[in-house]
Amino acid sequence: EQVGSDFDALIAADQRIEPRDAMPDEYRQTLIRQIAQHAHSEIIGMQPEGNWITRAPSLRRKAILIAKVQDEAGHGLYLYSAAETLGVDRAELLDRLHEGKQKYSSIFNYPTLTWADCGAIGWLVDGAAIMNQVPLCRCSYGPYARAMIRVCKEESFHQRQGFEILWNLMRGTEAQQAMAQDAADRWWWPALMMFGPPDSGEAAKGGHTAQSMAWGIKRFSNDDLRQKFVDMMVPQAEKLGIVLPDPQLRWNAERGHYDFGPIDWDEFWRVLRGDGACNAERITQRRRAHEEGAWVREAANAHAAKQAAKQKESAA
Amino acid sequence: EQVGSDFDALIAADQRIEPRDAMPDEYRQTLIRQIAQHAHSEIIGMQPEGNWITRAPSLRRKAILIAKVQDEAGHGLYLYSAAETLGVDRAELLDRLHEGKQKYSSIFNYPTLTWADCGAIGWLVDGAAIMNQVPLCRCSYGPYARAMIRVCKEESFHQRQGFEILWNLMRGTEAQQAMAQDAADRWWWPALMMFGPPDSGEAAKGGHTAQSMAWGIKRFSNDDLRQKFVDMMVPQAEKLGIVLPDPQLRWNAERGHYDFGPIDWDEFWRVLRGDGACNAERITQRRRAHEEGAWVREAANAHAAKQAAKQKESAA
Amino acid sequence: MAAHPSSAAYVLGLADDAMVYAQRLGEWMTNAPQLEEDMALGNIALDLLGQARALYPHVGSLDGTGRSEDDFAMLRDERDWRNVHLVEQERGDFGQEMARLLWFSTYQRELYAALLGSSDPVLSGVAGKALKEVRYHGDHAALWVVRLGDGTEESHRRMQAGLDGVLPYLPELFFDDDASVAAAAAGIGVRPSSLHETVTSQVAAVCEEATLDLLAPSWRARGGRAGIHSKPMGYLLAEMQHIARSHPGATW
Amino acid sequence: MAAHPSSAAYVLGLADDAMVYAQRLGEWMTNAPQLEEDMALGNIALDLLGQARALYPHVGSLDGTGRSEDDFAMLRDERDWRNVHLVEQERGDFGQEMARLLWFSTYQRELYAALLGSSDPVLSGVAGKALKEVRYHGDHAALWVVRLGDGTEESHRRMQAGLDGVLPYLPELFFDDDASVAAAAAGIGVRPSSLHETVTSQVAAVCEEATLDLLAPSWRARGGRAGIHSKPMGYLLAEMQHIARSHPGATW
């Protein structure tokens, strides 16, 4: 049929699909699911660091942290808007999040125990996010690709800030150095898990990878991205003076990559299933904020309706 | 009539009136009002210090403080029980407190700003309370007098603990000494106000003093008690190394007492009227605890009723 | 610069107001009724934090101690803070926050407008930059007060309660303490009482549009400018300062 | 005494559990449903605080650092605390507290009963004294769980919710971490898992009388014994340590 072949032609030509274009329903649904999950991750991702706004150890750090959490809210907004171009609205997506019907990145189910965790999140988690997201700037769906361009620019800024937090700690007191190393110890493996299950082997789960690749939504495999991330982070860790918690981590001249040890996929699936340190806490806080704000959103709607009615009256 | 003359005879002989004895209604009402106010003061008085339980600077101090606040709850219990012998129950008295129909000591409407305030409350506020309360151990109403004997014993213990807190601070760092002096500066005048308005002069308010004296409820005038308090505290302040915030404070050899400066009775009446730093806060917290606990008290009653019904059934 | 202790006390009051309110507003992030408000309240918190950071080093220079922004924020005991009680009160519901924000930002707008003429160039500079910010804060608050006041029955009730709740804290905002009287006499500052009428009439206009009543308080808070604070302040400082206090001498 | 780091870690876990729960229970004073409960919960807090104070210096001796009770309580960072998550959770309603108290004091009763036979004389001494205390705590909690479970419709619902709420925190209480395994092997301590069955059956008996259900949790907390805590812990420490941290080197 015509619709399918226009779409296929655009994809084949590596052109952007726009909201007005016809697209297969599966493509639409895949994108809605992925963009929503991405948006949810941004707003749930505000919590682990938001938790430290009132306790940041200096005013400069407090200001940077507030701005960062604000950026994450902004990313959430861009992404919900991108999802809305596919015919689903933000309120509905939030409901799905609150009811546990849609997921967010499992990394945010780990706790932020010390100030250094704000550094580790910036450095490792935002670092991994960028690695995942840069290819999305060339995603076949236009609004998503454009949102990602804005997001990536800010994320790389956040990654540098995270690096700087750790840099200062590693040049601080003994307690500060220990705090930075401890944070890296706890966040390294979960950051590697952010690229998703391996492409092959026992832990691989038949996902949507092949189809997403064909549609130009996904550009690299999980394992390729993970390897790129490791290769990028090892030299940065050396610069920081942080020892990454993997005794098998070493340069493999033959492959031209760093080798690294096995990932605990049992932990990954357990946390994804809901049995992580903070799953319950994150969703509870989200729901509470949403419920406590219901009367405010209703009032805004009611007021807007009253204003519209008045305008209509005075126009009549 | 017979009732009146029995009562008068007991009072004249300085004997105790007991719950079974007939007594004039005014005597009963005066006592209910006074004992209730006293009980309310104990439980509202838990708040200024209770506020520091989670923040006490050492575990030893934390333990002493918890025990003290617990004692205050206990004093409240004795006193409500004493009031109940006059035919009014605790729940009703608490309602009157919560509705603002009965008062508590105005001293508890001042804030506890630093740890040293826990010392100043023990030393000055409990010191003034003891001065007021010791004569009540000989009060004509038996249950009240007996409750006061227990209360006074514990209060003098608290007073020594307060003194000890300040003693340690005055022998501590410069910041600790400043903290102790500042607390004394803020609590001295309010403590003097605890004895009530002056017996004569412009600020005197025609109270129930004469009648209460005749009935053997009150034994000393406000000004007499205040003078005794000042005479007792000045040497203690010297021992602590604390300067009391009254430039007119000096020994008067002729009177055999310390002279002291004028009290700001406008402030006293203002705070009593409800316009003090903590009036709203204290009563709000009391009400909230009471309301939040309503379901618990109801459940306890319902359970007791069920148990009673079962026992009756099995007895039948 | 030579030490000017009385101007220092005045400027410290302004800085502490901004700092403490920034701390409270920061608590809204991840707790706001919608994402746009997480961003807006974060933005306002950032502006206020920026004002405090611009003012603190100036206080350290005026009082001759040379203290840094973090010396003031992270290492000062409760009795040395000079903010009004309004800003230290615990975060309430969104209506209460909008009531507080409306009053505080309208006050700050008039304050900074007056301080443009300060003989202290740092203060007039900060005022110039801050004025644009607080205009936006006031507009944002007014928008919500009107929406909530003239929204649903529930929102009207809550917004009225929010307005009633801040009443006891307003007299302190307009109280002429010694430091502000001295600062006004020296041409550095303004008497808070001189802002009272304009601020009140501006808030009253918003309330009228919002179909809300502006009542008189039954008691009033006192003492913030003298370091006498209300119960929430100690807990706020404990949370804010804990990490910094736990690592004496560290830089971050 | 020579340093015994692995026993030290075990005893520190016991001490931190008692300390943190004492801190939480202390919050009830002036907030309880009736005066008798202000007193009872204060009493339990005092007992637990006493246990912690008896154990901390012993830890300081076992680990060779000679640290005092206040070194442990007031100057330790979050990552160094070894308590379970159960005790650090925020104060909920009275039903939630009674659920937590029932589990925790039943656990402590079995724990201290077993520790009577510890080869560490300090530990067996503390256990002997504490056993009487925690029996009372457990009885008090059981009394309330039954009253609330078999009281009104509302109290039944709330008490059930309270019991459900603590479920995720129980596996950690009975988890055999390295320190407890080593302590048990050395005859100093007991494996927490060995207490699980008895404690559960005792709690189950109370629940049955209270007409309440004991369900299975959908997730479980982990990591307290390794210093990985939940969100409320940092705020608890900020409040508890702020004054002590603000006056380095001071005695009180």
Side-chain angles (χ1 to χ4, degrees):
Chain A
E1 57 162 345
Q2 185 58 32
V3 167
S5 69
D6 277 2
F7 173 83
D8 291 340
L10 283 167
I11 293 287
D14 207 5
Q15 299 272 308
R16 293 272 186 279
I17 310 293
E18 294 298 334
R20 64 181 176 278
D21 295 329
M23 60 189 93
D25 194 53
E26 262 183 89
Y27 177 83
R28 185 186 298 273
Q29 294 312 322
T30 299
L31 274 168
I32 288 177
R33 195 182 53 242
Q34 177 169 337
I35 299 174
Q37 174 164 338
H38 196 157
H40 300 331
S41 299
E42 292 287 353
I43 65 165
I44 295 286
M46 293 165 69
Q47 289 183 31
E49 290 166 293
N51 187 2
W52 282 91
I53 288 176
T54 57
R55 296 183 290 166
S58 76
L59 295 190
R60 180 167 165 266
R61 291 292 165 201
K62 193 190 284 281
I64 293 172
L65 186 59
I66 293 175
K68 182 183 173 185
V69 177
Q70 224 186 353
D71 283 348
E72 287 162 355
H75 297 176
L77 279 180
Y78 309 155
L79 287 160
Y80 286 120
S81 298
E84 287 185 331
T85 63
L86 291 159
V88 57
D89 68 27
R90 195 211 305 183
E92 196 183 325
L93 295 176
L94 284 173
D95 286 343
R96 291 192 203 163
L97 168 66
H98 300 154
E99 291 158 12
K101 290 181 187 161
Q102 285 183 339
K103 297 213 171 293
Y104 55 89
S105 175
S106 215
I107 190 77
F108 299 120
N109 292 320
Y110 290 83
T112 39
L113 301 175
T114 71
W115 168 250
D117 289 22
C118 291
I121 287 187
W123 180 48
L124 294 171
V125 176
D126 292 339
I130 292 167
M131 201 57 86
N132 268 327
Q133 290 166 8
V134 164
L136 290 171
C137 298
R138 297 187 292 118
C139 162
S140 61
Y141 188 60
Y144 190 24
R146 287 188 292 273
M148 289 321 300
I149 291 169
R150 292 178 69 177
V151 168
C152 282
K153 229 169 82 178
E154 292 179 356
E155 291 283 16
S156 72
F157 192 59
H158 297 164
Q159 209 250 346
R160 279 202 303 278
Q161 289 170 343
F163 183 88
E164 198 213 338
I165 287 177
L166 295 175
W167 176 269
N168 283 338
L169 292 175
M170 290 307 290
R171 270 128 208 94
T173 66
E174 222 171 286
Q176 287 177 302
Q177 290 172 32
M179 192 190 279
Q181 179 63 53
D182 170 58
D185 288 347
R186 287 181 288 104
W187 288 95
W188 173 251
W189 291 108
L192 293 193
M193 295 177 196
M194 285 177 68
F195 299 94
D199 303 330
S200 59
E202 231 178 276
K205 296 256 161 159
H208 317 278
T209 301
Q211 180 61 78
S212 284
M213 291 244 190
W215 276 336
I217 298 175
K218 201 171 163 69
R219 301 272 174 182
F220 298 96
S221 83
N222 294 352
D223 283 335
D224 287 349
L225 288 169
R226 188 162 18 241
Q227 182 68 60
K228 276 167 84 107
F229 177 69
V230 172
D231 292 347
M232 179 176 86
M233 300 315 275
V234 173
Q236 292 187 14
E238 281 166 7
K239 217 180 284 179
L240 284 170
I242 279 176
V243 182
L244 292 172
D246 179 358
Q248 298 181 43
L249 193 69
R250 67 176 56 86
W251 178 249
N252 182 328
E254 210 167 312
R255 293 206 303 127
H257 290 295
Y258 282 91
D259 289 340
F260 54 96
I263 290 172
D264 182 354
W265 291 110
D266 288 345
E267 179 185 308
F268 175 79
W269 294 114
R270 169 169 69 74
V271 175
L272 201 71
R273 255 195 339 263
D275 189 11
C278 303
N279 303 56
E281 177 189 320
R282 301 292 183 231
I283 211 73
T284 303
Q285 178 168 346
R286 240 333 287 172
R287 273 203 211 115
R288 194 185 49 230
H290 193 73
E291 283 161 18
E292 285 178 358
W295 70 277
V296 174
R297 296 189 302 275
E298 281 158 23
N301 291 339
H303 182 74
K306 281 187 195 178
Q307 293 300 100
K310 268 187 206 161
Q311 281 198 329
K312 210 173 160 186
E313 214 171 278
S314 67
Chain B
E1 55 163 347
Q2 186 59 30
V3 166
S5 69
D6 277 2
F7 174 82
D8 291 343
L10 284 166
I11 294 287
D14 208 4
Q15 299 272 308
R16 293 271 186 281
I17 310 293
E18 294 298 335
R20 64 181 176 278
D21 295 328
M23 60 189 93
D25 195 53
E26 263 184 88
Y27 177 84
R28 186 185 299 272
Q29 294 312 323
T30 299
L31 274 168
I32 288 176
R33 194 180 55 241
Q34 179 169 336
I35 300 173
Q37 174 162 340
H38 195 158
H40 299 332
S41 299
E42 293 287 351
I43 65 166
I44 295 286
M46 294 164 69
Q47 289 184 32
E49 290 165 293
N51 186 2
W52 282 90
I53 288 176
T54 56
R55 295 182 291 166
S58 76
L59 295 190
R60 180 167 165 265
R61 291 292 165 202
K62 192 190 286 280
I64 293 173
L65 186 59
I66 292 176
K68 182 183 173 185
V69 177
Q70 225 187 353
D71 284 347
E72 287 161 354
H75 297 176
L77 279 180
Y78 309 155
L79 287 160
Y80 285 120
S81 298
E84 286 185 330
T85 64
L86 291 159
V88 57
D89 67 27
R90 196 212 302 184
E92 197 183 324
L93 295 176
L94 284 173
D95 286 344
R96 291 192 203 163
L97 168 64
H98 299 155
E99 291 158 12
K101 290 181 186 160
Q102 286 182 339
K103 296 210 172 293
Y104 54 88
S105 174
S106 214
I107 191 77
F108 300 119
N109 291 321
Y110 290 84
T112 39
L113 302 175
T114 71
W115 168 251
D117 288 23
C118 291
I121 286 187
W123 179 48
L124 294 172
V125 175
D126 292 338
I130 293 167
M131 201 57 84
N132 267 329
Q133 290 166 8
V134 164
L136 289 171
C137 298
R138 297 187 293 118
C139 163
S140 61
Y141 187 60
Y144 190 24
R146 287 188 292 275
M148 291 320 301
I149 291 169
R150 292 178 69 176
V151 169
C152 282
K153 229 167 85 180
E154 293 180 355
E155 292 283 16
S156 71
F157 191 59
H158 297 164
Q159 209 251 345
R160 280 202 302 278
Q161 288 171 342
F163 183 89
E164 199 213 336
I165 287 176
L166 295 175
W167 176 268
N168 282 338
L169 292 176
M170 290 306 290
R171 269 129 208 93
T173 65
E174 221 171 288
Q176 287 178 302
Q177 290 172 31
M179 193 190 279
Q181 179 63 53
D182 170 58
D185 289 346
R186 286 181 289 104
W187 288 94
W188 172 250
W189 290 108
L192 293 192
M193 296 177 195
M194 285 177 68
F195 299 95
D199 303 330
S200 59
E202 231 178 275
K205 297 253 160 162
H208 319 277
T209 302
Q211 181 61 77
S212 283
M213 290 247 190
W215 275 336
I217 297 175
K218 201 169 163 72
R219 302 272 175 182
F220 298 96
S221 81
N222 294 353
D223 284 335
D224 287 350
L225 288 168
R226 187 160 22 238
Q227 182 68 59
K228 276 166 84 110
F229 177 69
V230 172
D231 292 347
M232 180 176 85
M233 299 315 275
V234 173
Q236 292 187 14
E238 281 166 5
K239 216 178 283 177
L240 284 170
I242 278 176
V243 181
L244 293 171
D246 179 359
Q248 297 181 42
L249 193 68
R250 65 177 57 86
W251 178 250
N252 181 327
E254 209 168 313
R255 292 205 304 127
H257 289 295
Y258 283 92
D259 289 340
F260 54 96
I263 291 170
D264 181 354
W265 292 109
D266 288 344
E267 179 184 308
F268 174 79
W269 295 114
R270 169 169 68 74
V271 175
L272 201 71
R273 253 194 342 261
D275 189 11
C278 304
N279 304 55
E281 177 189 320
R282 301 293 183 230
I283 212 71
T284 302
Q285 177 168 347
R286 242 330 290 172
R287 273 203 211 114
R288 193 183 52 229
H290 193 72
E291 283 160 18
E292 285 177 358
W295 69 277
V296 175
R297 296 189 301 275
E298 281 158 23
N301 291 338
H303 181 74
K306 281 187 195 177
Q307 293 301 99
K310 270 188 205 158
Q311 281 199 330
K312 210 172 159 186
E313 216 171 276
S314 67
Chain C
M1 194 184 283
H4 293 285
S6 101
S7 331
Y10 176 70
V11 181
L12 185 56
L14 310 187
D16 283 349
D17 283 353
M19 179 68 237
V20 172
Y21 199 23
Q23 177 75 2
R24 281 292 180 224
L25 287 171
E27 296 175 10
W28 276 101
M29 301 199 78
T30 73
N31 287 307
Q34 56 193 32
L35 272 177
E36 288 82 352
E37 285 311 299
D38 285 297
M39 292 181 74
L41 295 175
N43 206 44
I44 297 171
L46 262 183
D47 287 342
L48 292 171
L49 183 53
Q51 293 167 21
R53 294 180 68 196
L55 293 171
Y56 279 140
H58 187 48
V59 178
S61 140
L62 288 169
D63 72 6
T65 59
R67 281 179 286 179
S68 71
E69 59 181 44
D70 287 328
D71 290 335
F72 282 103
M74 297 298 169
L75 302 172
R76 218 164 14 126
D77 294 335
E78 179 174 339
R79 290 284 281 118
D80 298 323
W81 284 76
R82 294 289 174 263
N83 54 282
V84 292
H85 290 201
L86 176 68
V87 295
E88 75 199 26
Q89 298 311 302
E90 282 173 9
R91 182 168 76 86
D93 74 11
F94 191 73
Q96 290 171 274
E97 198 59 84
M98 289 304 107
R100 166 157 71 173
L101 183 61
L102 177 64
W103 275 104
F104 187 70
S105 55
T106 309
Y107 155 80
Q108 275 201 319
R109 188 164 57 194
E110 293 308 312
L111 171 72
Y112 285 131
L115 290 180
L116 288 178
S118 168
S119 63
D120 177 332
V122 177
L123 210 47
S124 65
V126 169
K129 180 174 181 303
L131 193 50
K132 291 184 208 100
E133 299 167 352
V134 302
R135 269 195 201 117
Y136 159 76
H137 307 171
D139 291 348
H140 189 75
L143 196 84
W144 274 110
V145 169
V146 171
R147 278 181 184 157
L148 297 176
D150 189 23
T152 65
E153 211 170 299
E154 181 187 7
S155 74
H156 179 84
R157 181 178 53 72
R158 280 179 179 247
M159 191 62 238
Q160 184 63 56
L163 271 178
D164 295 349
V166 303
L167 293 171
Y169 302 101
L170 300 173
E172 204 189 3
L173 209 51
F174 302 108
F175 176 72
D176 293 336
D177 64 318
D178 293 346
S180 62
V181 170
I188 287 164
V190 289
R191 287 182 180 241
S193 62
S194 69
L195 312 171
H196 183 235
E197 210 179 298
T198 322
V199 172
T200 305
S201 75
Q202 289 179 31
V203 170
V206 174
C207 291
E208 203 191 323
E209 194 189 338
T211 72
L212 295 163
D213 296 322
L214 215 47
L215 308 168
S218 61
W219 65 281
R220 62 197 193 83
R222 292 173 178 80
R225 300 279 186 231
I228 310 263
H229 293 283
S230 58
K231 185 173 161 188
M233 185 67 180
Y235 301 95
L236 178 147
L237 291 179
E239 190 173 324
M240 183 163 92
Q241 300 182 333
H242 186 243
I243 304 302
R245 297 266 200 191
S246 297
H247 296 269
T251 53
W252 302 92
Chain D
M1 193 184 283
H4 292 285
S6 101
S7 331
Y10 176 70
V11 181
L12 186 56
L14 309 188
D16 284 349
D17 283 353
M19 179 68 237
V20 172
Y21 199 23
Q23 178 75 2
R24 281 293 180 222
L25 287 171
E27 295 175 10
W28 276 101
M29 301 199 78
T30 73
N31 288 307
Q34 57 193 31
L35 272 178
E36 288 82 352
E37 285 311 299
D38 284 297
M39 292 181 73
L41 295 175
N43 206 45
I44 296 171
L46 261 183
D47 288 341
L48 292 171
L49 183 53
Q51 293 167 21
R53 294 180 67 196
L55 293 171
Y56 279 140
H58 187 48
V59 179
S61 141
L62 287 169
D63 71 6
T65 60
R67 280 179 288 178
S68 72
E69 59 181 41
D70 287 329
D71 289 337
F72 282 104
M74 297 298 169
L75 302 173
R76 220 165 12 126
D77 294 334
E78 179 174 339
R79 289 285 281 118
D80 298 323
W81 285 76
R82 293 290 174 263
N83 54 284
V84 293
H85 290 201
L86 176 69
V87 295
E88 75 199 26
Q89 298 312 301
E90 281 173 11
R91 183 168 75 87
D93 74 10
F94 190 73
Q96 290 171 275
E97 198 60 84
M98 289 303 106
R100 166 156 72 173
L101 183 61
L102 178 65
W103 275 104
F104 187 71
S105 54
T106 308
Y107 156 80
Q108 275 202 319
R109 189 163 58 195
E110 293 308 312
L111 171 72
Y112 285 132
L115 290 180
L116 288 177
S118 168
S119 63
D120 177 332
V122 176
L123 210 47
S124 66
V126 169
K129 181 175 181 301
L131 192 51
K132 292 184 207 99
E133 298 168 351
V134 302
R135 269 195 201 117
Y136 160 75
H137 306 171
D139 291 347
H140 188 75
L143 196 84
W144 274 111
V145 170
V146 171
R147 278 182 185 157
L148 297 176
D150 188 22
T152 64
E153 210 170 301
E154 181 186 7
S155 74
H156 179 85
R157 181 178 53 71
R158 281 180 178 246
M159 191 62 238
Q160 184 64 57
L163 271 177
D164 295 348
V166 303
L167 293 171
Y169 302 102
L170 300 172
E172 204 189 4
L173 210 51
F174 302 108
F175 175 73
D176 294 336
D177 64 316
D178 294 345
S180 62
V181 170
I188 287 164
V190 289
R191 285 181 181 243
S193 63
S194 69
L195 312 171
H196 183 236
E197 210 180 296
T198 323
V199 171
T200 304
S201 76
Q202 289 179 30
V203 169
V206 174
C207 291
E208 204 191 322
E209 194 189 338
T211 71
L212 294 163
D213 296 322
L214 215 48
L215 309 168
S218 61
W219 65 281
R220 62 196 194 81
R222 292 171 177 82
R225 301 279 185 232
I228 310 263
H229 293 282
S230 59
K231 185 172 161 189
M233 185 67 180
Y235 301 94
L236 179 146
L237 291 179
E239 189 172 325
M240 183 163 93
Q241 300 181 332
H242 185 243
I243 305 301
R245 297 265 199 192
S246 297
H247 297 268
T251 54
W252 301 92

